[in-house]
């Protein structure tokens, strides 16, 4: 992950460098059980955010949320997003961030649960960014599915296939996978094709 990008964010927020937190995040995203939800994923989401900066209402809150959104990633836990959001909240409180900003970051991270259609502009933006892998070229999408399977390698195949199919069908069943026109135009058609192919292969 880009240390310079982290330091620039800290300056914009008026914080100290917080290199210890950066190093802890780096360590978490480098855990051996991660094959997709790793530092490469964070780098990709931050790059995507930078490309759509003009769409953000609170760019800094979105960037903080992306740095932290998969920080806690335990395969058998149902509270990864909440635990990641709470880490971000603790970090921001230690740095005396404003309560409104803290609450916003927490909401943005929780939006990446993908359990519901996001309710405001920046929630829609972080969800679109997080889901952009669904609309990549078919070769990379196939690799993405392999990475996810590796992360869940302890799950028996018949259970994994059933659960994975259910998850993919939820996204395919939505009226729109991507909310913002930029992501819709760029990824919607390819995402639907990728999802259909992945479901057919399970």
């Amino acid at each position: 992950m880009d240390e310079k990008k982290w330091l620039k964010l800290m300056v914009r927020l008026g914080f100290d460098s917080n290199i210890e937190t950066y190093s802890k995040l780096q360590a978490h995203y480098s855990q051996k059980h991660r094959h997709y939800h790793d530092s490469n994923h964070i780098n990709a989401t931050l790059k995507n955010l930078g490309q759509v900066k003009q769409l953000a209402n609170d760019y800094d809150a979105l960037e903080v949320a992306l740095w932290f959104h998969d920080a806690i990633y335990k395969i058998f836990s149902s509270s990864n997003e909440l635990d990641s959001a709470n880490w971000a909240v603790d970090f921001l409180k230690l740095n005396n961030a404003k309560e409104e900003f803290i609450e916003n970051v927490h909401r943005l991270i929780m939006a990446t649960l993908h359990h519901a259609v996001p309710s405001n502009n920046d929630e829609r933006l972080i969800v679109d960014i997080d889901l952009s892998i669904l609309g990549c070229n078919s070769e990379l999408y196939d690799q993405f599915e392999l990475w996810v399977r590796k992360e869940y390698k302890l799950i028996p195949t018949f259970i994994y296939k059933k659960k994975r199919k259910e998850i993919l069908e939820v996204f395919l069943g939505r009226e729109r996978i991507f909310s913002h026109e930029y992501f819709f135009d760029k990824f919607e058609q390819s995402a639907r094709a990728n999802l259909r192919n992945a479901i057919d292969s399970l």
Side-chain angles (χ1 to χ4, degrees):
M1 300 188 299
D2 191 339
E3 183 178 321
K4 289 182 180 179
K5 186 181 291 289
W6 171 266
L7 292 174
K8 287 179 180 178
L9 175 62
M10 294 301 102
V11 169
R12 293 200 308 273
L13 293 173
F15 295 174
D16 292 334
S17 63
N18 286 290
I19 286 297
E20 285 187 7
T21 299
Y22 167 83
S23 297
K24 287 179 181 177
L25 287 169
Q26 180 80 278
H28 275 254
Y29 287 116
S30 300
Q31 290 167 330
K32 290 183 179 180
H33 68 276
R34 296 175 185 251
H35 298 277
Y36 173 69
H37 296 89
D38 58 7
S39 58
N40 290 325
H41 172 55
I42 301 306
N43 291 339
T45 60
L46 291 172
K47 180 179 179 181
N48 278 335
L49 176 62
Q51 291 172 343
V52 293
K53 189 171 186 177
Q54 73 282 0
L55 299 178
N57 288 339
D58 191 334
Y59 183 87
D60 289 342
L62 279 160
E63 184 170 336
V64 172
L66 286 173
W67 277 100
F68 281 90
H69 81 285
D70 283 325
I72 306 298
Y73 188 67
K74 299 175 182 178
I75 300 306
F76 296 106
S77 174
S78 60
S79 63
N80 286 323
E81 287 80 8
L82 179 58
D83 294 339
S84 298
N86 287 341
W87 184 2
V89 166
D90 290 343
F91 167 74
L92 292 170
K93 284 182 176 178
L94 283 172
N95 284 275
N96 298 312
K98 293 181 179 179
E99 189 62 34
E100 182 180 357
F101 185 83
I102 295 172
E103 291 175 357
N104 191 19
V105 169
H106 188 277
R107 265 194 314 272
L108 290 170
I109 294 174
M110 294 307 294
T112 66
L113 265 168
H114 305 299
H115 284 175
V117 176
S119 61
N120 66 38
N121 178 78
D122 284 0
E123 286 179 17
R124 290 192 287 271
L125 193 54
I126 196 170
V127 166
D128 281 0
I129 289 170
D130 198 33
L131 293 181
S132 61
I133 186 68
L134 300 182
C136 65
N137 65 67
S138 58
E139 292 81 7
L140 181 54
Y141 183 86
D142 290 344
Q143 183 60 59
F144 160 66
E145 287 291 338
L146 291 174
W147 285 328
V148 174
R149 181 64 182 112
K150 283 184 177 180
E151 289 183 341
Y152 288 89
K153 64 183 178 182
L154 297 179
I155 305 296
T157 299
F158 75 97
I159 296 176
Y160 177 82
K161 285 186 175 184
K162 180 177 182 292
K163 294 295 184 182
R164 187 66 180 163
K165 185 176 181 181
E166 290 173 357
I167 291 170
L168 299 182
E169 285 177 338
V170 167
F171 288 117
L172 194 57
R174 290 182 179 177
E175 184 177 346
R176 290 172 66 119
I177 298 170
F178 298 96
S179 299
H180 280 274
E181 293 305 316
Y182 171 87
F183 289 94
F184 183 86
D185 293 343
K186 189 174 183 179
F187 294 125
E188 186 79 13
Q189 288 188 350
S190 55
R192 291 190 176 277
N194 286 334
L195 290 169
R196 283 191 290 267
N197 289 337
I199 289 168
D200 289 343
S201 69
L202 288 169

